[in-house]
């Protein structure tokens, strides 16, 4: 009996357990009902009476030790396995570094572009540094118009013919110069005006302008196109109204308001209790402009419109100060959806 105990002790000292399967083998070999330690107890009756107390003690110690070794191995295998599982778990969500997101102006710009793209408008882009003709003369600005003044326009060289564009209409002038109607295009882009920076104005901002030139284009087409835009942008229940206005490049001209999407037209502090929000200017392209751009105003008519992207974004996101769009404070930018993938 003593030899058997020593033998089992040695086996316990030599054993190597590295997996759940080997742990189970260990349990079966030493601790189970048919295991070697239990069989010692079965043989206990054959131990001479005088040796029984000593042998009983040794057997109990052996059993306890074997159980302690088993428990220790079990806990080691468990923690080992859990780190291994973590390493290879392909279903775990990836721990991305913060990936960045689109700027609110980019989001709104894209939304506007998509709305017009759905009804067949193409996208046109052009230079930010322009000449006088494409920014002013072609668009019917008289020589003494205040917009041509240094107070309103940035000149970047001594040459008064080189200006930063004050609107993206210059892009559409270029499209008209190079295209035979029908023309259906929008021109999104950055524009520059020599203005004092405030909560409502900035010297750099973004516009989307639209132009449609074809035979028989009417004011009714303009109105319907803008109503479609307003409903897509601000919701199906949105109403529009057009107020007469003046621009050198359109005749007749109008400004468009949408019903306030905050109070539904009832009146609130966003719409200054009028129920309406001004969002864009528009009109029928002045025949002089068509002619200047090489399009026969006897044959073709057109409508045009223009809007400031910052203004639309301020209304959409309830932003009270335009300067926030230019500061790139992450606490501000983090509030907008629009991951970059
Ligand atoms: C061509 C002919 C006419 C574009 C137009 C407006 C009216 C307008 C302003 C809105 C806010 C500029 O960003 S803003 O300050 N724009 O009110 N823009 S009609 O008319 C054109 C464009 C191109 C060849």
């Amino acid at each position: 009996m003593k030899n058997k105990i020593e033998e089992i002790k040695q086996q316990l000292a030599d054993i190597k357990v590295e997996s759940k399967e080997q742990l189970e083998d260990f349990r079966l070999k030493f601790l189970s009902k048919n295991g070697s330690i239990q069989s010692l107890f079965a043989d206990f009756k054959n131990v001479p009476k005088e040796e029984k107390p000593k042998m009983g003690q040794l057997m109990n110690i052996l059993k306890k030790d074997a159980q302690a070794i088993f428990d220790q191995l079990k806990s080691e295998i468990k923690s080992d396995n859990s780190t291994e599982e973590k390493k290879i778990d392909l279903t775990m969500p990836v721990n991305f570094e913060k990936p960045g997101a689109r700027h609110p102006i980019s989001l709104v710009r894209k939304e506007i572009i998509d709305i017009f793209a759905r009804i067949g408008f193409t996208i046109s882009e052009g230079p930010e540094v322009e000449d006088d003709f494409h920014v002013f003369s072609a668009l019917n600005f008289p020589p003494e118009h205040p917009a041509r003044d240094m107070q309103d326009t940035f000149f970047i060289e001594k040459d008064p013919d080189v200006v930063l564009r004050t609107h993206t209409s210059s892009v559409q002038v270029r499209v008209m110069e190079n295209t035979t109607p029908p023309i259906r295009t929008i021109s999104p882009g950055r524009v520059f005006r020599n203005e004092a920076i405030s909560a409502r104005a900035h010297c750099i901002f973004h516009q989307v302008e639209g132009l449609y030139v074809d035979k028989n284009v009417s004011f009714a087409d303009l109105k319907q196109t803008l109503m479609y835009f307003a409903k897509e942008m601000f919701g199906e229940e949105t109403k529009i109204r057009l107020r007469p206005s003046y621009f050198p490049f359109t005749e007749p001209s109008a400004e468009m308001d949408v019903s306030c999407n905050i109070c539904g037209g009832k009146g609130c502090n966003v719409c200054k209790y009028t129920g309406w929000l001004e969002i864009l200017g528009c009109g029928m392209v002045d025949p002089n402009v068509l002619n200047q751009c090489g399009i026969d105003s006897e044959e073709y008519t057109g409508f045009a419109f223009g809007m400031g992207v910052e203004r639309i974004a301020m209304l959409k996101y309830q932003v009270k100060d335009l300067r926030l769009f230019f500061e790139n404070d992450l606490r501000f930018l983090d509030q907008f959806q629009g991951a970059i993938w």
Side-chain angles (χ1 to χ4, degrees):
M1 173 65 74
K2 185 126 197 291
N3 289 347
K4 270 191 182 167
I5 292 173
E6 281 311 319
E7 198 183 311
I8 295 172
K9 253 186 172 174
Q10 195 54 50
Q11 286 171 354
L12 284 173
D14 293 340
I15 202 93
K16 263 200 169 156
V17 172
E18 283 169 342
S19 67
K20 276 184 181 165
E21 290 73 30
Q22 288 174 349
L23 185 71
E24 178 61 3
D25 290 343
F26 180 102
R27 191 189 67 78
L28 290 172
K29 184 169 181 189
F30 298 106
L31 298 171
S32 69
K33 246 193 354 239
N34 300 324
S36 55
I37 295 177
Q38 210 52 45
S39 67
L40 289 179
F41 283 88
D43 286 341
F44 188 64
K45 58 181 184 298
N46 304 325
V47 174
K49 203 177 169 200
E50 62 283 10
E51 287 179 26
K52 270 193 161 113
K54 181 80 191 147
M55 281 306 146
Q57 204 182 17
L58 288 175
M59 282 160 59
N60 280 332
I61 291 170
L62 181 70
K63 190 179 172 189
K64 245 172 131 185
D65 285 350
Q67 186 64 47
I69 292 169
F70 177 82
D71 291 343
Q72 173 68 22
L73 289 170
K74 190 175 171 183
S75 75
E76 280 172 14
I77 282 171
K78 214 175 183 180
S79 63
D80 243 2
N81 272 3
S82 64
T83 51
E84 202 156 293
E85 268 163 29
K86 246 185 224 158
K87 269 187 234 153
I88 59 158
D89 184 359
L90 299 177
T91 66
M92 287 281 282
V94 179
N95 195 11
F96 269 127
E97 282 301 303
K98 211 163 176 291
R102 287 200 196 281
H103 191 282
I105 295 302
S106 304
L107 289 174
V108 173
R109 178 183 183 273
K110 185 175 186 314
E111 199 174 341
I112 298 169
I113 290 172
D114 288 348
I115 291 171
F116 286 106
R118 288 203 284 277
I119 54 169
F121 279 75
T122 60
I123 298 163
S124 308
E125 288 183 308
E128 293 182 339
V129 181
E130 266 290 6
D131 55 41
D132 179 281
F133 176 77
H134 290 93
V135 177
F136 297 124
S137 299
L139 289 155
N140 217 23
F141 281 82
E144 299 309 318
H145 194 281
R148 290 172 177 260
D149 200 279
M150 281 188 60
Q151 303 301 314
D152 294 278
T153 300
F154 287 114
F155 294 83
I156 61 167
E157 281 175 13
K158 291 248 163 56
D159 182 354
D161 198 34
V162 185
V163 300
L164 293 183
R165 67 182 181 195
T166 56
H167 44 209
T168 57
S169 315
S170 51
V171 178
Q172 297 174 316
V173 170
R174 289 180 182 278
V175 172
M176 287 205 286
E177 284 176 324
N178 297 310
T179 322
T180 308
I183 296 168
R184 233 189 271 110
T185 194
I186 53 167
S187 50
R190 226 164 33 146
V191 299
F192 308 85
R193 291 184 190 175
N194 194 358
E195 291 198 42
I197 295 169
S198 72
R200 295 166 60 90
H202 207 283
C203 55
I204 302 176
F205 64 102
H206 299 80
Q207 284 188 333
V208 176
E209 290 203 354
L211 176 72
Y212 180 23
V213 181
D214 201 353
K215 287 176 181 158
N216 301 317
V217 173
S218 71
F219 201 90
D221 297 322
L222 170 63
K223 206 172 149 185
Q224 196 62 37
T225 303
L226 294 180
M227 191 153 80
Y228 155 78
F229 167 70
K231 285 178 183 291
E232 290 290 298
M233 190 76 205
F234 297 104
E236 187 52 38
E237 66 295 344
T238 307
K239 293 185 175 58
I240 63 165
R241 76 174 182 188
L242 292 165
R243 289 176 286 101
S245 187
Y246 173 79
F247 306 109
F249 34 80
T250 46
E251 183 59 36
S253 305
E255 277 163 316
M256 187 175 94
D257 300 338
V258 290
S259 51
C260 178
N261 57 339
I262 305 300
C263 62
K266 288 192 187 75
C268 68
N269 65 346
V270 175
C271 61
K272 306 213 177 67
Y273 301 95
T274 63
W276 295 96
L277 301 163
E278 184 187 321
I279 62 156
L280 56 80
C282 60
M284 299 306 292
V285 180
D286 192 299
N288 287 342
V289 174
L290 293 174
N291 294 334
Q292 291 265 30
C293 298
I295 290 175
D296 183 356
S297 63
E298 296 287 322
E299 196 179 351
Y300 295 103
T301 52
F303 70 65
F305 55 87
M307 66 190 95
V309 181
E310 280 77 2
R311 169 138 185 91
I312 308 280
M314 284 173 90
L315 295 173
K316 185 178 164 84
Y317 296 123
Q318 292 285 294
V319 175
K320 297 274 186 293
D321 192 321
L322 185 121
R323 288 169 290 197
L324 286 162
F325 291 124
F326 298 90
E327 284 164 1
N328 286 334
D329 185 328
L330 289 178
R331 290 167 301 177
F332 174 69
L333 296 179
D334 269 352
Q335 298 173 69
F336 301 93
Q337 298 301 307
I340 50 173
W341 62 85

